[in-house]
Amino acid sequence: MSNLNEQMADRYKNNFLKEIEEQAEMGEWVKMCMQCGLCSGSCPTHFHSGWDHPPQEIFMLIRAGKREEVLNSQGMYMCTSCYNCYVRCPRKVPVTHVMHGIAEYAYRIGRAPKAQPTLHLSKTFWTNATKYGRVNEVQLTQSLYFKDGIGSGIKKAMEMQKEALGLVMAGRLNPMEALGMGHKCKDVSGIHKMLAKAEELEAKNKAAKADTAGKE
Amino acid sequence: MAEMKTAAYLCKGCEIDKRVNVAALAKIATKEGKMALVREHDFLCSADGVALIQNDIDNEGVTHVALGACSRRAKTEAFNFPTVALSRGNLREGVIWIRPDTPDAQETTQEMAEDYVRMMCAEVKTMQVPAGNQKTGTIKTILVVGGGVSGMTAALEASKAGYKVVLIEKAAALGGWAAKLHKRVPTREPFKSPEDNGVADMAARIDADANIKVYLNATIAKTSGSPGRFKIDIAIESGSVVTEDVGAIIQATGFTLYDANKLPHLGYGKSPNVVDQAGLEALAKEAAASGKPICRPSDGQPVKSVVFVQCAGQRDASGEHLQYCSGYCCNVSIKQATYFKDSNPDIDTVVLFTDLRTPGNGEDFYRSAQNRGVIFSKGVVSEVTANGNTCTVQFKDLILNEDTAAEADLVVLATGSVPTSGPELEALADAKRAAESGTEETKNVVLQMMDKSVLNLDYRQGPDIPHFKHGFNDSHFICFPYETRRTGIYAAGPVRRPMDILQAQEDATGAAMKAIQAVENAGLGKAAHPRAGDLSFPTARLEGCTQCKRCTVECPFGAIDEDEKRFPLFNESRCRRCGTCMGACPVRVISFENYSVNTVGMQIKAVDMPDEFSEKPRILILACENDAYPALDMAGMNRNAYDPFVRVIPVRCLGSVNTIWITDALNSGYDGVMLMGCKHGDEYQCHFVKGSELGRYRMSKVYDTLKGMNLEIDRLMDMEVAITDMDTLPGKINAYAEQIKAMGPSPFKGL
Amino acid sequence: MTSVVATNQTILVVGGGISGMTAALEAAETGKQVVLVERNPYLGGRTVQLYRYFPKMCHPTCGLEINLRRLKANPRIQVLTMAEVTGITGGKGNYSVSLKLKPRFVNENCTACGDCAQAVQTEIDDAYNYNLTKVKAAFLPSIFAYPQRYVIDPSIVGGAEGEAAKAACKYNAVDLTMKEETVTLNAGAIVWATGWKPYDAEKIVYYGYDRFPNVVTNVEFERMADPRGPTGGKILRPSDGKEAKNVAFIQCAGSRDENHLRHCSRFCCMGSLKQTHYVQEAFGDEGKSTIYYIDIRAIDRFEDFYQKVKANPNVSFVKSKVARITQDKDGNPVCNGVNTEGYLRYATAHDLVVLAVGMEPEVKGVSIPAEVMSDSSGFVMADPANAGIFGAGCATNALDVNRAVQSATAAALRAIQVVNKVARAEG
């Protein structure tokens, strides 16, 4: 990964925008931004300390060729996919998707920060959901609660005890999931095969893209 | 002319008869007004009432009609008698609607109505039906000066309407700036791709048009005459002069680019790789012709990166460069950016701007450029430096809030336009004064300025259309964009106002409309805007003229020249009928058939003047008919009461107010005079541009006269009134009336 | 019955706003016969609903007065109000146009004395004031209304109030038997000057125009500033009548937005800059204006006006498209967003928010005769295929008044070219 990172840095020295357009999903929309700031102002998570650069600023940084600042940014991981920016953008830029695209790209080239909570959630969720083809909510919650250690995990679990019991009583949470039981999709191996195929295709696509970009 | 037979008609409708004694008014019309015929009617504007008047005109030989009814602004369709002289006494909006319906007010209300009846009778007897200007010119050919897109459009459009056109272009070919463009900004949906500049097609259509006669390499040596009969001396290539007779003129002389040499800090002149927008068009044309990409001038290598600097030497608040925005440059830079992106998407193309201005569908074009990968950055450029074959553009990125720089093979400066509008007339007049007994140097200044003249008008007031602001041949009218201060001469395109090609074509079509209208009306002896269709015109009793030249100097439209004996020479077709000359004339020899020193003077005299013990002061209001008079009218419609001691006379413009009216009024016992006119100065609202300003200047001299008469200067009050002042005006009138009452009666009363 | 004298050398002008009036007057003053059709009961269109014009800060009614005087003096123009075009057949040089005329219930006997309004109690929404207030069901649409004739609203016709209005009129001007009419007329050329309408602010959900009383539109603000408007010219906020001394202007409310209007409406930047003057005029140094903008488009010599406003310490500029309006406990609208010049987040309470809503073609969404070609935004296009129908003013593009008049003057010539050709052909 870090090798690819260096290659890209060399290849796109003066044209980070092009790198993003080619490598990040929906990256071709970055150039369409007119810097009105509606996305930045619409974002409900703006209060979070991790929000160093909102979308409109990230887009400008990309256009200014500020590769390091963008790849070091926490901004694109903060998105909660509320789609406020997406539906309001006067240029119809799919801001949410672009931000995810940039985050995914940064992750792919090994630039994602360690212990980034959104990233952790995303990875955990993915692993969990792909295991049985359906989310195991208890295990997912557990892994999130205990990510910072046993002590804080127990504390969080106690805090949420009432809500959890309520969900169980209402039949919305199956405690047996803790043991790996609970709902699964019918053809787990089938899902695994499909996902493997999708991954293979995507890798091929990305490799092809990187290849063409390299030929200039 | 038929013998004058007067008739007064008094309407009793709208409760006029309930509020005033109409029979008494009728008596006054007969006895004091000396009307040959006096009739009362219950509902004068009804079909029956109108028929009554028409019958008297047709069968009783009535030639002069005085209507005592509603305001002259009301019921105009009904009271339309074009064959007779018509005056209107405003008994409704001017009397009963502005007076309270109380027993206390009855006496003064009646007196007010009686005075308005006296005034309408006095006025109508001094009026004549305008016969129309006999010195008309019937030439309908349109002259277009300038063969760029604006001029070519004007010529083609006028021809299409069936008019002959003479087109003069100083260069060797038609096309102007547009011909130098590689392409033009898109004009149609989807507004994505630059279009052919269209010049060749237009030039071919002009060549093929039998209505259009073209002079290339030609300039105007002299323009004389007036609408309908201009004579144009054209200096042609051979050095000789040919003369063309035309009816109206469209000045479409375009612009030059702001001199980029004045922008050394932006690298112009320091590196061949810094060009202005025209320079880039030339490079693009060259590239297109050779089939090569656009190359940088320094070494002929293809451009790999380009930076556009918007507002170069424009929007400059310091006043050193252009203060205005040229309007078109954002779209042009976008277009030029597409030249690069369309040939090679890998060329780094950056536009640095502070406000990107792409109005209307320009927004689509802006988006299309972004889609091509053009980078737009909000930034202020501080410096462009050259380093070998590249340039560094230093700028502050306003979004990222940092000082930064961009490297580029080529830098394009959007420098904007400077109108080719001829010398500024006041500066020229000053220079001429300085040169009168001055040095060679001062004389050369005049020659240099005259060299810039476009029209070389032989008008008393100078050789070109007066400038409005920043050198443009524009007016300050929002509702009437074509009103220049030279009748029958219309500016079109970027000489009038900064504009793009599409707008210039629209503008030129509009100017062609106005020019056609001018020749049609000149031929009929009718006035042009804003008194369109007015058949009256000024005449002067030259035997009384003292050759003071005030009329020739003051006419806002340059209509009056001097003849060989130095008498004023009226060019009626240039006249807009504002009456400023009449107001200016100290010996009162200028008048119109239906508006004169007499038509107003006799009204002033007709008012009944109570003695100094009556406690009934009289205040004369001379109100601009365009704004102040309607405002008073609407105060009436709102039933806003005001003082019963005022008597209102509408005037065509404050500029037409002759000081004799003021001094006569004060001499004959009026206690105060109010002048109500439009705003003047830079933000003028006067429909005759300079009328209210000149009127006010003139009135400032009357204050000396008042002092000479031992009168308080407050007996004359000059008030700026807008048409919307209907709600505040009554209060202002009342306050002035109180002031006058406190001052006590005029010492001239009863003398 | 309404009679119209028209031939194939007549020019029909559809729309009696400033563009339509200009086209009609310019053509008539060149000697052409003109029929001017207007949907409202009065002429003047949207310009007369403005308090002042930029950049001169003069009054639209001043120019209207001149235009009306030109009109009254010109026998070549026939004006039909309360009329709409329902169909066009034929072609260049020989159109047949059908019109629907709504009844005014007041005939030409009307002296505008106002007795009918005195007699009527029913009130209806006052469209002239963008429904910010009510008006009697027998009304003169505005003090500048031309024709200067009252209108009886159909809602009281057939009832006691209608009869009361009729009884109050001494001149038999109230005619409750008037019916809708259909008129067909001939025309050689048509000028389509149907103007614009303000973009529907409710559609911009995050600005809460329909939820927050203190969020108004720029056209409503014009009425609020006008002494003849619903607040008597006092700038009072709708929720509690408090003086609105701290006013926010939100640019591009609808314009430059692919979810709403794709185009830039051109006039709104200057309009808001102008409206800061209203705030200054009303409250002096206590009046504060904030303009939230993407780009200030004060084009050509309007730049002077912008620079002057910019120099006013009571006006601030924030480069930002406001993301959302909320309301605080005192009923103040709060603008939330990010100043993109340096990424500065704000949540600023104002007394009043004015949405600078954009221009969309008046006829957008309304079925217009197929002969009138329009582009994807609904603006009338100059299409050579319709060589006898010409757009004018804001029906063709988002324009300010000056440019609309320019466009209308050009349209008048295009129409004249057609009828002149007809005249030449007919000798």
Side-chain angles (χ1 to χ4, degrees):
Chain A
M1 279 295 185
S2 67
N3 188 28
L4 176 63
N5 180 19
E6 277 161 30
Q7 279 177 21
M8 286 301 170
D10 277 346
R11 215 172 273 163
Y12 294 108
K13 206 179 221 164
N14 294 317
N15 210 337
F16 184 40
L17 173 65
K18 211 163 168 189
E19 178 182 340
I20 290 294
E21 284 183 347
E22 285 170 1
Q23 296 300 324
E25 204 170 327
M26 301 273 180
E28 68 276 15
W29 281 95
V30 170
K31 64 193 176 202
M32 295 309 293
C33 166
M34 64 166 165
Q35 295 295 310
C36 71
L38 188 68
C39 51
S40 307
S42 297
C43 184
T45 60
H46 65 81
F47 53 84
H48 198 283
S49 57
W51 239 136
D52 52 356
H53 300 303
Q56 145 267 327
E57 203 180 16
I58 293 229
F59 298 163
M60 200 63 230
L61 287 166
I62 293 170
R63 281 149 45 160
K66 295 190 176 265
R67 189 169 193 274
E68 288 310 301
E69 265 188 86
V70 173
L71 295 178
N72 288 338
S73 172
Q74 299 271 321
M76 52 272 195
Y77 308 103
M78 303 307 295
C79 175
T80 60
S81 305
C82 78
Y83 285 84
N84 266 350
C85 51
Y86 187 125
V87 298
R88 291 178 189 171
C89 176
R91 285 295 174 83
K92 285 198 165 166
V93 174
V95 183
T96 314
H97 296 175
V98 182
M99 293 299 274
H100 289 323
I102 298 166
E104 189 274 336
Y105 176 58
Y107 171 72
R108 182 152 36 97
I109 61 175
R111 295 296 301 266
K114 306 280 172 274
Q116 212 292 333
T118 331
L119 193 57
H120 176 79
L121 166 69
S122 165
K123 268 167 39 184
T124 315
F125 183 91
W126 181 254
T127 316
N128 179 303
T130 52
K131 197 169 171 186
Y132 303 118
R134 294 187 78 161
V135 172
N136 181 317
E137 284 157 339
V138 176
Q139 280 186 359
L140 178 67
T141 315
Q142 277 171 350
S143 64
L144 289 174
Y145 279 15
F146 292 93
K147 82 175 169 64
D148 299 327
I150 302 266
S152 73
I154 291 175
K155 200 171 153 228
K156 273 184 211 148
M158 295 305 284
E159 275 170 16
M160 298 301 287
Q161 201 181 4
K162 213 176 138 198
E163 281 76 6
L165 281 173
L167 286 168
V168 172
M169 301 295 284
R172 308 290 304 205
L173 192 69
N174 180 359
M176 299 309 281
E177 280 188 357
L179 306 170
M181 294 155 79
H183 61 198
K184 295 176 185 176
C185 73
K186 280 178 191 160
D187 179 10
V188 173
S189 69
I191 283 280
H192 286 166
K193 269 186 212 153
M194 277 165 71
L195 287 168
K197 183 72 187 167
E199 255 169 51
E200 185 194 319
L201 285 172
E202 197 178 338
K204 215 192 234 169
N205 261 342
K206 279 179 183 155
K209 261 191 178 179
D211 221 34
T212 20
K215 274 181 193 157
E216 62 177 5
Chain B
M1 181 160 174
E3 206 175 305
M4 177 160 83
K5 180 165 182 185
T6 56
Y9 299 86
L10 298 165
C11 182
K12 290 155 74 175
C14 293
E15 305 205 331
I16 292 173
D17 65 333
K18 288 216 180 100
R19 301 287 307 281
V20 296
N21 181 344
V22 176
L25 299 183
K27 206 174 279 175
I28 284 170
T30 311
K31 288 209 168 149
E32 297 181 42
K34 306 250 184 304
M35 294 287 108
L37 195 64
V38 177
R39 294 189 197 274
E40 297 168 35
H41 195 278
D42 284 336
F43 182 18
L44 197 57
C45 63
S46 64
D48 179 61
V50 171
L52 172 80
I53 300 170
Q54 195 61 54
N55 183 54
D56 287 348
I57 293 169
D58 295 342
N59 303 317
E60 301 293 326
V62 169
T63 59
H64 287 63
V65 172
L67 292 181
C70 45
S71 163
R72 46 154 55 186
R73 291 173 67 251
K75 287 288 172 189
T76 48
E77 298 89 341
F79 298 136
N80 178 24
F81 308 108
T83 58
V84 299
L86 179 72
S87 72
R88 290 187 62 174
N90 187 354
L91 304 179
R92 190 175 75 157
E93 290 86 340
V95 181
I96 63 163
W97 280 0
I98 53 99
R99 295 301 304 143
D101 187 9
T102 59
D104 285 355
Q106 217 161 17
E107 182 183 318
T108 50
T109 306
Q110 178 70 23
E111 286 169 0
M112 214 175 187
E114 289 175 0
D115 272 347
Y116 281 121
V117 170
R118 291 183 184 103
M119 288 156 78
M120 73 181 195
C121 297
E123 184 187 13
V124 80
K125 285 184 289 186
T126 55
M127 289 169 79
Q128 282 165 30
V129 180
N133 171 23
Q134 299 306 306
K135 286 187 264 173
T136 56
T138 52
I139 299 157
K140 294 194 175 173
T141 304
I142 311 289
L143 171 71
V144 178
V145 190
V149 163
S150 309
M152 289 194 292
T153 304
L156 287 166
E157 295 295 332
S159 162
K160 204 174 167 190
Y163 292 79
K164 291 206 177 307
V165 177
V166 173
L167 175 61
I168 299 178
E169 166 57 43
K170 71 179 172 201
L174 296 175
W177 276 110
K180 297 176 184 162
L181 303 182
H182 173 44
K183 289 193 169 160
R184 67 182 278 194
V185 170
T187 59
R188 307 197 128 246
E189 271 196 330
F191 302 100
K192 278 184 179 159
S193 296
E195 296 171 1
D196 182 86
N197 68 26
V199 167
D201 170 57
M202 290 179 87
R205 277 159 58 207
I206 285 181
D207 274 347
D209 193 325
N211 273 339
I212 306 174
K213 187 169 171 186
V214 181
Y215 289 93
L216 296 174
N217 293 308
T219 55
I220 296 181
K222 192 173 111 181
T223 300
S224 56
S226 54
R229 51 182 178 91
F230 283 113
K231 270 202 185 314
I232 316 293
D233 291 350
I234 305 167
I236 56 171
E237 201 178 1
S238 65
S240 57
V241 169
V242 293
T243 302
E244 289 279 358
D245 294 314
V246 303
I249 300 170
I250 295 167
Q251 183 180 334
T253 43
F255 67 100
T256 54
L257 288 183
Y258 184 66
D259 184 1
N261 286 306
K262 291 178 184 167
L263 306 166
H265 66 289
L266 297 180
Y268 196 84
K270 291 185 178 164
S271 163
N273 297 335
V274 179
V275 297
D276 60 10
Q277 288 185 326
L280 196 271
E281 293 295 337
L283 291 176
K285 270 204 151 182
E286 200 181 301
S290 65
K292 285 201 297 193
I294 296 173
C295 295
R296 62 186 180 200
S298 68
D299 62 355
Q301 288 303 304
V303 171
K304 289 213 175 91
S305 55
V306 56
V307 171
F308 292 87
V309 179
Q310 297 311 106
C311 307
Q314 302 191 63
R315 301 178 63 197
D316 178 22
S318 77
E320 193 187 341
H321 303 295
L322 301 179
Q323 289 176 49
Y324 51 88
C325 152
S326 293
Y328 63 82
C329 344
C330 281
N331 270 320
V332 167
S333 289
I334 290 170
K335 174 194 73 175
Q336 295 184 337
T338 69
Y339 293 169
F340 292 99
K341 283 292 183 189
D342 287 351
S343 71
N344 177 5
D346 287 338
I347 297 172
D348 287 325
T349 311
V350 178
V351 179
L352 297 175
F353 66 94
T354 50
D355 291 286
L356 203 77
R357 294 179 168 174
T358 52
N361 304 103
E363 202 61 21
D364 282 339
F365 194 38
Y366 173 23
R367 277 189 287 259
S368 86
Q370 282 184 300
N371 200 33
R372 287 170 163 98
V374 179
I375 299 305
F376 291 84
S377 264
K378 177 160 180 162
V380 179
V381 177
S382 52
E383 200 181 2
V384 178
T385 49
N387 28 8
N389 285 318
T390 62
C391 295
T392 305
V393 182
Q394 306 276 351
F395 68 102
K396 176 166 188 184
D397 186 318
L398 291 168
I399 299 296
L400 301 178
N401 199 20
E402 62 178 15
D403 291 310
T404 183
E407 288 285 312
D409 290 338
L410 192 70
V411 174
V412 185
L413 306 179
T415 55
S417 73
V418 178
T420 310
S421 53
E424 203 280 310
L425 297 187
E426 278 175 34
L428 179 64
D430 288 346
K432 278 187 172 166
R433 267 190 292 278
E436 257 167 33
S437 55
T439 57
E440 274 307 301
E441 202 181 326
T442 55
K443 283 174 187 156
N444 275 335
V445 171
V446 174
L447 287 178
Q448 277 164 17
M449 290 179 92
M450 283 304 292
D451 203 39
K452 285 187 187 154
S453 175
V454 173
L455 299 174
N456 280 299
L457 295 163
D458 70 348
Y459 289 16
R460 166 78 170 75
Q461 289 185 12
D464 285 280
I465 307 177
H467 297 176
F468 165 53
K469 231 178 185 182
H470 310 312
F472 289 94
N473 290 141
D474 202 359
S475 75
H476 204 342
F477 294 119
I478 292 160
C479 310
F480 311 109
Y482 291 102
E483 293 317 309
T484 59
R485 286 175 53 199
R486 293 294 177 263
T487 309
I489 306 178
Y490 299 95
V495 73
R496 187 171 79 74
R497 194 173 178 166
M499 59 179 80
D500 59 27
I501 295 179
L502 193 61
Q503 200 191 335
Q505 291 189 289
E506 197 77 352
D507 198 34
T509 309
M513 170 77 259
K514 295 302 292 187
I516 287 167
Q517 193 181 72
V519 298
E520 290 297 335
N521 285 315
L524 299 170
K526 289 180 175 176
H529 186 90
R531 297 188 59 84
D534 188 349
L535 283 166
S536 73
F537 59 92
T539 52
R541 279 187 300 108
L542 292 185
E543 57 275 26
C545 171
T546 61
Q547 300 189 332
C548 75
K549 301 190 176 39
R550 279 183 211 168
C551 55
T552 59
V553 171
E554 288 196 13
C555 173
F557 303 99
I560 312 170
D561 292 328
E562 279 161 32
D563 67 13
E564 58 281 6
K565 291 179 195 156
R566 316 204 75 178
F567 282 113
L569 179 67
F570 287 84
N571 293 278
E572 292 81 1
S573 305
R574 289 190 217 157
C575 170
R576 305 282 261 276
R577 283 71 165 172
C578 61
T580 296
C581 51
M582 177 177 122
C585 182
V587 287
R588 302 175 294 282
V589 299
I590 304 172
S591 60
F592 296 79
E593 287 155 308
N594 53 3
Y595 183 60
S596 65
V597 171
N598 248 349
T599 59
V600 176
M602 295 311 282
Q603 290 184 71
I604 293 172
K605 287 199 181 82
V607 168
D608 179 54
M609 193 56 61
D611 65 27
E612 64 264 50
F613 309 111
S614 65
E615 293 188 356
K616 285 178 179 168
R618 285 291 176 262
I619 298 167
L620 174 67
I621 295 181
L622 297 171
C624 161
E625 67 177 5
N626 304 304
D627 288 74
Y629 196 77
L632 287 166
D633 237 25
M634 287 181 281
M637 290 170 72
N638 289 324
R639 313 296 200 271
N640 279 343
Y642 58 79
D643 195 272
F645 301 127
V646 300
R647 301 292 179 263
V648 184
I649 301 176
V651 294
R652 283 191 185 178
C653 175
L654 214 51
S656 73
V657 173
N658 195 296
T659 55
I660 192 73
W661 294 339
I662 320 288
T663 48
D664 274 3
L666 292 170
N667 265 319
S668 62
Y670 281 86
D671 301 279
V673 177
M674 288 181 102
L675 299 170
M676 295 183 177
C678 303
K679 190 172 185 168
H680 70 275
D682 282 350
E683 306 289 323
Y684 64 83
Q685 292 174 19
C686 174
H687 290 277
F688 299 103
V689 188
K690 288 276 173 192
S692 64
E693 183 176 329
L694 293 163
R696 292 211 160 93
Y697 176 74
R698 203 179 297 144
M699 291 315 134
S700 67
K701 308 279 178 197
V702 180
Y703 290 110
D704 293 336
T705 317
L706 296 190
K707 280 180 210 153
M709 292 163 76
N710 265 331
L711 278 175
E712 300 87 340
I713 57 164
D714 289 339
R715 293 212 183 259
L716 174 61
M717 164 76 126
D718 170 16
M719 193 182 280
E720 188 180 288
V721 174
I723 193 162
T724 45
D725 288 343
M726 61 195 101
D727 298 312
T728 51
L729 209 43
K732 288 178 183 165
I733 292 172
N734 293 343
Y736 183 63
E738 287 313 311
Q739 199 184 339
I740 290 295
K741 282 169 202 162
M743 220 179 277
S746 159
F748 288 91
K749 233 175 246 294
L751 290 183
Chain C
M1 272 302 282
T2 305
S3 69
V4 184
V5 183
T7 70
N8 59 358
Q9 291 182 37
T10 298
I11 295 169
L12 171 70
V13 179
V14 184
I18 188 135
S19 299
M21 286 180 82
T22 299
L25 285 164
E26 296 302 343
E29 286 177 4
T30 311
K32 306 301 164 195
Q33 288 294 332
V34 177
V35 175
L36 176 60
V37 170
E38 165 58 41
R39 185 184 58 183
N40 282 324
Y42 59 93
L43 298 181
R46 296 204 184 266
T47 54
V48 297
Q49 292 166 285
L50 303 175
Y51 173 37
R52 291 179 187 273
Y53 278 153
F54 57 77
K56 257 168 79 172
M57 302 306 291
C58 55
H59 302 281
T61 42
C62 166
L64 177 73
E65 176 73 17
I66 292 282
N67 279 337
L68 288 177
R69 219 182 52 205
R70 291 166 75 187
L71 190 79
K72 290 172 192 173
N74 201 314
R76 291 194 184 82
I77 307 180
Q78 183 172 5
V79 178
L80 299 173
T81 49
M82 304 185 78
E84 281 182 71
V85 172
T86 51
I88 300 175
T89 56
K92 175 183 178 181
N94 192 17
Y95 290 105
S96 174
V97 183
S98 40
L99 303 174
K100 188 174 75 184
L101 276 68
K102 284 191 191 140
R104 178 188 279 265
F105 302 112
V106 175
N107 63 29
E108 60 281 1
N109 282 353
C110 176
T111 67
C113 70
D115 286 351
C116 55
Q118 294 280 334
V120 165
Q121 300 309 316
T122 307
E123 290 192 327
I124 56 167
D125 280 341
D126 183 1
Y128 180 79
N129 280 311
Y130 289 103
N131 300 344
L132 293 170
T133 183
K134 298 271 180 188
V135 68
K136 290 274 187 70
F139 62 104
L140 193 61
S142 94
I143 194 144
F144 288 95
Y146 177 87
Q148 200 186 57
R149 264 196 257 160
Y150 274 67
V151 184
I152 307 279
D153 190 76
S155 65
I156 63 165
V157 174
E161 290 269 276
E163 293 304 324
K166 184 176 164 59
C169 183
K170 298 180 194 72
Y171 306 107
N172 278 326
V174 176
D175 177 359
L176 301 173
T177 66
M178 281 187 185
K179 293 275 180 295
E180 184 174 292
E181 290 180 59
T182 305
V183 171
T184 304
L185 61 88
N186 208 348
I190 299 170
V191 174
W192 196 264
T194 45
W196 63 285
K197 60 184 169 193
Y199 185 70
D200 180 3
E202 278 190 30
K203 290 185 185 163
I204 316 165
V205 177
Y206 43 92
Y207 290 158
Y209 173 75
D210 55 340
R211 304 191 296 284
F212 308 133
N214 296 329
V215 177
V216 300
T217 63
N218 48 1
V219 290
E220 289 168 347
F221 195 63
E222 289 292 326
R223 298 312 308 141
M224 290 164 73
D226 190 339
R228 305 298 315 163
T231 53
K234 293 196 175 68
I235 300 178
L236 307 176
R237 61 187 209 173
S239 71
D240 52 9
K242 190 183 125 185
E243 287 184 329
K245 292 183 177 174
N246 177 355
V247 183
F249 296 91
I250 298 184
Q251 300 311 112
C252 301
S255 305
R256 301 183 67 185
D257 191 331
E258 296 199 68
N259 297 307
H260 301 283
L261 303 172
R262 256 176 36 239
H263 59 272
C264 158
S265 296
R266 189 195 282 269
F267 82 104
C268 356
C269 279
M270 283 299 292
S272 293
L273 291 170
K274 172 189 72 177
Q275 291 179 339
T276 68
H277 277 267
Y278 300 168
V279 180
Q280 178 78 26
E281 206 177 307
F283 306 116
D285 284 347
E286 282 180 36
K288 306 287 177 198
S289 298
T290 308
I291 295 189
Y292 296 94
Y293 72 99
I294 307 175
D295 295 284
I296 294 288
R297 294 187 163 172
I299 291 162
D300 66 48
R301 62 175 160 77
F302 290 162
E303 180 70 18
D304 298 358
F305 192 82
Y306 171 39
Q307 294 299 341
K308 266 187 219 150
V309 175
K310 219 173 155 187
N312 180 350
N314 297 318
V315 183
S316 22
F317 290 83
V318 181
K319 163 133 174 76
S320 170
K321 184 165 168 80
V322 171
R324 194 162 63 108
I325 296 174
T326 50
Q327 189 171 269
D328 71 12
K329 59 177 175 26
D330 302 319
N332 299 311
V334 181
C335 292
N336 298 275
V338 162
N339 181 347
T340 61
E341 286 189 6
Y343 181 37
L344 306 167
R345 194 165 286 281
Y346 59 81
T348 313
H350 299 274
D351 294 331
L352 185 74
V353 172
V354 179
L355 303 178
V357 295
M359 243 179 210
E360 70 178 329
E362 176 67 60
V363 291
K364 190 177 177 182
V366 177
S367 79
I368 55 171
E371 287 76 6
V372 185
M373 294 274 293
S374 59
D375 67 13
S376 62
S377 302
F379 289 115
V380 176
M381 293 191 295
D383 193 304
N386 302 328
I389 303 178
F390 308 97
C394 293
T396 65
N397 210 327
L399 301 172
D400 59 33
V401 173
N402 198 267
R403 285 180 172 84
V405 172
Q406 196 187 341
S407 157
T409 310
L413 180 61
R414 294 182 182 121
I416 285 175
Q417 289 166 348
V418 174
V419 297
N420 276 2
K421 204 172 170 193
V422 173
R424 282 197 298 271
E426 294 185 354

